[in-house]
Amino acid sequence: MRRRRALWFWVFVGPFAAGLALFTYVPLLWSVGLSFFDAHNTVTPTDFVGLDNYTAMLKDGAFTGSLRTFLVFTAFIVPVTFALSLALALMVNRVRRAQAFFRSVFFLPAACSYVVAALIWKMSIFNGVRFGLANTLLGLFGTDSVAWLSTTHPPWYWLVIVTVRLWLQAGFYMILFLAGLQRIDPVLYEAAAVDGARPGWTVLRHITLPQLRATSVAVLLLLVINAFQAFDEFYNLLSDARGYPPYARPPLVYLYYTALGQGQNLGLGSAGAVILALIIAIVTVGQARWLRLGKSGEE
Amino acid sequence: MTISRRTLLGAGAGIGVGVVSGCGSNTGRGGGGLGGTRLAQWYHQYGEPGTEQAVKRYAAAYTKARVTVQWRPGNYDQQTAAALLTDSGPDVFEVNGPSLDQIQGGQVEDLTALLDGVEDDFNPAVLAPKTYQGKVYGIPQTVDTQMLYYRKSMLRDAGVEPPQTLDELVDSAQKLTGNKVKGLFLGNDGGAGVLGGTPLYAAGLRLVTEDGKAGFDDPAAARALGKLRELYARKALLLGAPTDWSDPSAFLQGLTAMQWSGLWALPQVQKELGDDFGVLPFPKDGPAGKPTVPVGAYGAAVSARSKDKAAAKAYVKWLWVERTDYQEDFALGYGFHIPARISLAKKAGKLRTGAAADAVRFATEHGYAQPLLWTPASQTAYQDALSRIIKDGANPESELRGVVRKVSAELDRVKHTS
């Protein structure tokens, strides 16, 4: 019986495990190996260069600049998405009728492709000429058109990048918060009411938010990791056939150009990918420890 | 009918084997077919209707091998670069290069012998960047160039003459700028991407010197790039157009009085504006300057991983050296390009009059091609600096100093590799 169960386990899990190994772990280990070689236009290099690729990448102003871009992006996107999705969840949770409808409406953008959303934002809403939607609205107030994606002073491109991601992501995190909210025991609210706590900020601060702690920690971790992995909307909003501006180039876009673009410097790109993976791992572990992920509330 | 678990597993395995064997089976290689030889040929997706059918027709007309054409949309350069690392890539492929790293990495075949006796008939400006240490690695197919389109009526109404110097371009663009129209469109990034080395050549400089050094370590470079910043700072540039510089829509819709775009846009501009437009090269700057246009050419290359390199080379020779009728048809039958063969360009009726004739003259007299030694890393460093100069008002001299350091390091690297 046990052998048969083991057999079925491998029948169902085996193909996926093999796929995972073949298409994820082998390339990952190969990439780590490549990072120690001079690998221009080859994945089977012969010139071992030790840590040269790592030092070159860490000295590269464009790469460190891309990390700064990521920090700015994270500073915007994480708290704003967190607050917006929590607010949406609180609102939807209070709706007595058609809750499923509102839940679906806010969640639907999560089903939209980043590429499609980015192109709509770029070409229809935030194009820089007078007939773009945003500029048409500004025109009603007598304001000049703004070249949203081309202006660095002030950096309007952040508004475009942040809003498209907010639109795409907030609904997904709202669902997570909603699930958390619906797990809170109503008795707690009743007890608070009996104790004289007024509905609103007091209850939110002393009952709801502490009860959502586990969900909040998970959402924060996901938001930071997703911010590190930002690529699609940046690339589709800002790249053209001739390249990409340096002012909004997150690490993945830079590594894409280094390793897979015309540069084809797979050794240097791999070193950058390893550095980025290490940074993500360190930040995630640090964040998890700081937020005491996995510790029960009583400890 | 009941299906046993054994039958189900057997059927599943059969389907699996079928799927696996089906995947990747159409590589365009292997035996069979005409002369037992099959070749896979890749092209990037051209925008002009009819081009795909044309190249498939040329391939079908070749009798010594069965040629399968793949028409590939998307990031073609990245696709070919990745495919050249594998055995499932093309035998023959169109390339905007090949790059120096591809040549030094032994990824493309030496095609010098294919040009025996006709080398002088190929436009030297575009053959040079495909030549490394005396060997040719790509056969130029068509020549493309970029130029400045201007709307005659708009310039006339504003009392502006077509600009002959960079200073005049800055002044004209400002005079032509109004509430609804901008003076000049150099792309949504203010020109950082498309202009590349053009302003440097217009100032009498170059990207890489004959002896392999950075060619813009000169105050004239900072002065020319500073004028691009002036265009941006004076709000004379159109930014944020729905389409970018390569598409003439912004110019045709009257959003800008002048636009930097490609030769390929000429038929569309002509159709929409009749004779209410003219073309110019990028204007000269400074006493040593000269009018300039960039020229480039997609070329046909043979992958070093091709299983039948001799057949692939024979096909390239047949199509891009011998069949001049196909070459002319490819250049002028669908889109608008200059044939890479000088003799074909001279006799092409469509290129003899009006703006087309001007464009051919610009390409011949003022054309420069990006040198082979100008690597993607150098290009990125320069383009980033140009973006910071134009949009952020960064100091051109200090920015260029940083680029010269990076370019010098790259030039040392590629010389060391060779």
Side-chain angles (χ1 to χ4, degrees):
Chain A
M1 185 69 181
R2 186 174 290 173
R3 275 183 62 189
R4 181 174 289 185
R5 284 176 64 181
L7 175 70
W8 282 113
F9 173 81
W10 284 112
V11 165
F12 285 108
V13 174
F16 298 101
L20 191 69
L22 192 62
F23 296 111
T24 301
Y25 295 123
V26 169
L28 204 149
L29 292 173
W30 200 296
S31 177
V32 173
L34 276 179
S35 69
F36 297 105
F37 285 85
D38 179 16
H40 277 87
N41 293 66
T42 178
V43 286
T44 51
T46 50
D47 295 338
F48 183 77
V49 295
L51 293 172
D52 283 5
N53 283 329
Y54 287 89
T55 49
M57 206 40 137
L58 289 170
K59 281 183 190 169
D60 182 353
F63 180 65
T64 50
S66 75
L67 292 173
R68 273 196 300 278
T69 298
F70 155 73
L71 286 176
V72 173
F73 179 58
T74 310
F76 272 116
I77 201 71
V78 172
V80 175
T81 313
F82 186 93
L84 181 66
S85 50
L86 178 60
L88 286 175
L90 290 168
M91 274 183 350
V92 172
N93 196 41
R94 287 173 69 95
V95 171
R96 292 281 167 248
R97 288 184 184 175
Q99 194 187 72
F101 169 77
F102 288 109
R103 206 168 50 208
S104 304
V105 164
F106 289 123
F107 181 73
L108 266 179
C112 183
S113 143
Y114 268 72
V115 178
V116 171
L119 291 177
I120 293 170
W121 251 244
K122 178 181 184 172
M123 300 177 87
S124 297
I125 302 175
F126 287 107
N127 76 46
V129 293
R130 59 183 182 275
F131 43 78
L133 181 62
N135 280 335
T136 304
L137 290 175
L138 284 181
L140 296 177
F141 299 99
T143 310
D144 285 342
S145 294
V146 175
W148 301 97
L149 284 165
S150 307
T151 308
T152 52
H153 299 285
W156 287 118
Y157 57 89
W158 279 123
L159 180 73
V160 187
I161 291 168
V162 168
T163 51
V164 71
R165 182 166 269 235
L166 267 180
W167 184 74
L168 285 161
Q169 281 200 341
F172 172 76
Y173 293 107
M174 177 203 75
I175 294 289
L176 298 187
F177 277 124
L178 208 50
L181 284 172
Q182 287 169 357
R183 285 181 57 206
I184 299 175
D185 193 339
V187 171
L188 289 172
Y189 291 108
E190 289 163 13
V194 169
D195 287 347
R198 285 183 305 172
W201 173 244
T202 312
V203 169
L204 178 71
R205 188 181 159 201
H206 294 288
I207 307 282
T208 309
L209 291 182
Q211 290 295 312
L212 281 178
R213 193 175 159 279
T215 310
S216 303
V217 170
V219 166
L220 275 177
L221 282 175
L222 288 173
L223 279 172
V224 172
I225 291 170
N226 280 347
F228 262 113
Q229 294 175 334
F231 179 86
D232 288 338
E233 73 270 47
F234 279 86
Y235 186 78
N236 288 289
L237 284 169
L238 288 156
S239 74
D240 69 17
R242 295 283 168 149
Y244 193 96
Y247 52 81
R249 186 162 49 200
L252 279 190
V253 171
Y254 183 65
L255 294 179
Y256 169 76
Y257 277 104
T258 304
L260 300 175
Q262 284 240 311
Q264 286 285 305
N265 192 340
L266 295 156
L268 193 63
S270 295
V274 171
I275 292 169
L276 190 61
L278 286 174
I279 292 173
I280 294 176
I282 290 166
V283 169
T284 308
V285 170
Q287 194 185 9
R289 288 197 159 209
W290 181 56
L291 295 168
R292 301 178 68 219
L293 183 67
K295 305 273 170 128
S296 69
E298 291 78 32
E299 278 183 77
Chain B
M1 180 184 157
T2 56
I3 301 172
S4 69
R5 276 181 292 183
R6 184 171 295 177
T7 311
L8 187 65
L9 279 176
I15 291 167
V17 168
V19 169
V20 168
S21 61
C23 289
S25 64
N26 185 20
T27 62
R29 292 186 178 149
L34 298 166
T37 308
R38 299 186 73 175
L39 298 171
Q41 184 184 21
W42 286 14
Y43 287 91
H44 86 282
Q45 185 185 34
Y46 283 76
E48 299 100 346
T51 316
E52 182 180 5
Q53 290 74 18
V55 296
K56 286 182 173 167
R57 197 174 66 245
Y58 310 153
Y62 190 59
T63 54
K64 292 180 183 164
R66 189 181 295 279
V67 182
T68 312
V69 170
Q70 284 194 29
W71 193 251
R72 301 184 73 91
N75 288 342
Y76 179 80
D77 292 338
Q78 278 90 327
Q79 290 174 31
T80 49
L84 291 180
L85 301 174
T86 73
D87 288 329
S88 59
D91 298 284
V92 177
F93 64 104
E94 188 182 58
V95 64
N96 189 13
S99 72
L100 184 58
D101 284 321
Q102 284 171 338
I103 293 169
Q104 289 182 331
Q107 293 187 306
V108 285
E109 282 292 293
D110 172 11
L111 305 180
T112 315
L114 273 53
L115 294 181
D116 269 353
V118 291
E119 193 172 339
D120 292 344
D121 193 32
F122 279 83
N123 188 319
V126 292
L127 193 57
K130 301 186 187 311
T131 308
Y132 182 60
Q133 295 182 337
K135 293 177 180 170
V136 178
Y137 290 89
I139 308 297
Q141 297 174 175
T142 55
V143 179
D144 268 315
T145 187
Q146 295 160 21
M147 52 204 180
L148 189 67
Y149 289 79
Y150 64 93
R151 190 86 168 254
K152 286 179 181 171
S153 55
M154 284 187 177
L155 267 67
R156 196 173 49 239
D157 293 348
V160 169
E161 288 295 315
Q164 303 300 319
T165 65
L166 189 50
D167 288 319
E168 286 178 21
L169 179 70
V170 176
D171 288 340
S172 307
Q174 195 175 15
K175 283 180 189 163
L176 289 161
T177 297
N179 282 340
K180 295 190 171 176
V181 181
K182 289 287 187 180
L184 176 63
F185 184 40
L186 295 173
N188 286 323
D189 60 358
V194 64
L195 290 181
T198 304
L200 301 179
Y201 283 82
L205 305 167
R206 44 181 51 216
L207 291 169
V208 180
T209 58
E210 295 287 345
D211 55 347
K213 296 199 171 87
F216 48 93
D217 193 4
D218 190 298
R223 187 192 62 218
L225 300 190
K227 288 173 187 172
L228 298 179
R229 164 65 186 174
E230 234 180 300
L231 278 166
Y232 181 87
R234 290 192 193 183
K235 299 187 189 303
L237 292 181
L238 173 65
L239 298 166
T243 53
D244 218 336
W245 64 273
S246 59
D247 186 302
S249 298
F251 183 62
L252 298 175
Q253 289 165 359
L255 296 172
T256 178
M258 299 185 281
Q259 178 175 337
W260 186 256
S261 191
L263 176 66
W264 54 86
L266 191 66
Q268 198 183 342
V269 174
Q270 217 150 24
K271 187 177 162 198
E272 301 272 339
L273 300 182
D275 59 359
D276 185 21
F277 82 99
V279 292
L280 289 169
F282 193 87
K284 65 181 178 183
D285 184 51
K290 54 190 181 199
T292 302
V293 292
V295 294
Y298 266 91
V302 171
S303 167
R305 283 181 179 256
S306 169
K307 287 190 178 123
D308 201 339
K309 293 191 265 272
K313 287 180 188 175
Y315 173 63
V316 169
K317 183 170 183 176
W318 174 83
L319 181 55
W320 296 115
V321 179
E322 292 169 358
R323 290 302 300 256
T324 50
D325 52 341
Y326 286 164
Q327 291 156 35
E328 188 174 354
D329 179 64
F330 183 74
L332 292 159
Y334 314 95
F336 204 76
H337 314 273
I338 303 171
R341 303 285 288 268
I342 296 166
S343 55
L344 291 178
K346 275 184 183 164
K347 72 175 187 185
K350 285 184 181 176
L351 299 174
R352 282 192 196 154
T353 54
D358 290 340
V360 174
R361 185 166 53 80
F362 299 157
T364 312
E365 293 175 8
H366 309 306
Y368 84 92
Q370 203 159 279
L372 192 59
L373 292 175
W374 186 250
T375 64
S378 297
Q379 172 72 13
T380 303
Y382 174 74
Q383 203 165 304
D384 284 1
L386 197 48
S387 177
R388 287 190 289 266
I389 292 167
I390 293 173
K391 289 193 175 175
D392 300 340
N395 183 300
E397 281 158 11
S398 57
E399 285 291 332
L400 282 172
R401 271 198 298 276
V403 181
V404 167
R405 275 198 299 276
K406 175 73 181 173
V407 171
S408 301
E410 271 295 287
L411 291 169
D412 287 345
R413 176 182 72 80
V414 294
K415 280 179 212 159
H416 174 72
T417 308
S418 63

